[in-house]
Amino acid sequence: MNLLSLAEPFDPKDIEWRIAQAGKKGDGKIWAKVLAYITSRAIMNRLDDVCGPENWRNEYTTGPQGGVLCGISVQTSPGFWVTKWDGADNTGIEAIKGGLSDAMKRAGVQWGIGRYLYNLDEGWAVV
């Protein structure tokens, strides 16, 4: 198992985009700044591919001020697990599901999964 493979770029079909900011210019044209992200399913697939489905697990707990923490554990040798944690607030839409998913994505970044997406230039959508 090569854990450095967790950090490899994703196939473009696995990358999704969301609007981070939007507005209207003085001339009436709409603008939108977009950010790339991956889903928690893409993270699960990457962990399955690199580690094997039996060699990773995740767990959740309540964050220190609400929200949720996710720990992703990888079995690096028989019986030896390494866990990396991160968390997120519950979201405004589907609060608990969104919080669980965001915490999983953030914990994945702790393992290097999708971390390169934070270094991409800002994107602008045509509206």
Side-chain angles (χ1 to χ4, degrees), residues 52-65:
E54 72 284 3
N55 292 319
W56 74 272
R57 63 182 180 220
N58 61 355
E59 60 186 295
Y60 295 93
T61 189
T62 304
Q65 295 181 334

Side-chain angles (χ1 to χ4, degrees), residues 26-40:
D27 62 4
K29 291 184 179 179
I30 307 281
W31 60 269
K33 182 171 122 178
V34 294
L35 300 174
Y37 72 97
I38 52 173
T39 66
S40 56

Side-chain angles (χ1 to χ4, degrees), residues 7-12 14-18 20 33-38 114-124:
E8 289 181 7
F10 280 85
D11 187 297
D14 292 324
I15 298 173
E16 298 191 13
W17 298 87
R18 70 172 177 83
K33 182 171 122 178
V34 294
L35 300 174
Y37 72 97
I38 52 173
R115 190 181 297 163
Y116 74 97
L117 295 172
Y118 289 95
N119 298 324
L120 295 179
D121 291 335
E122 294 177 339
W124 298 93

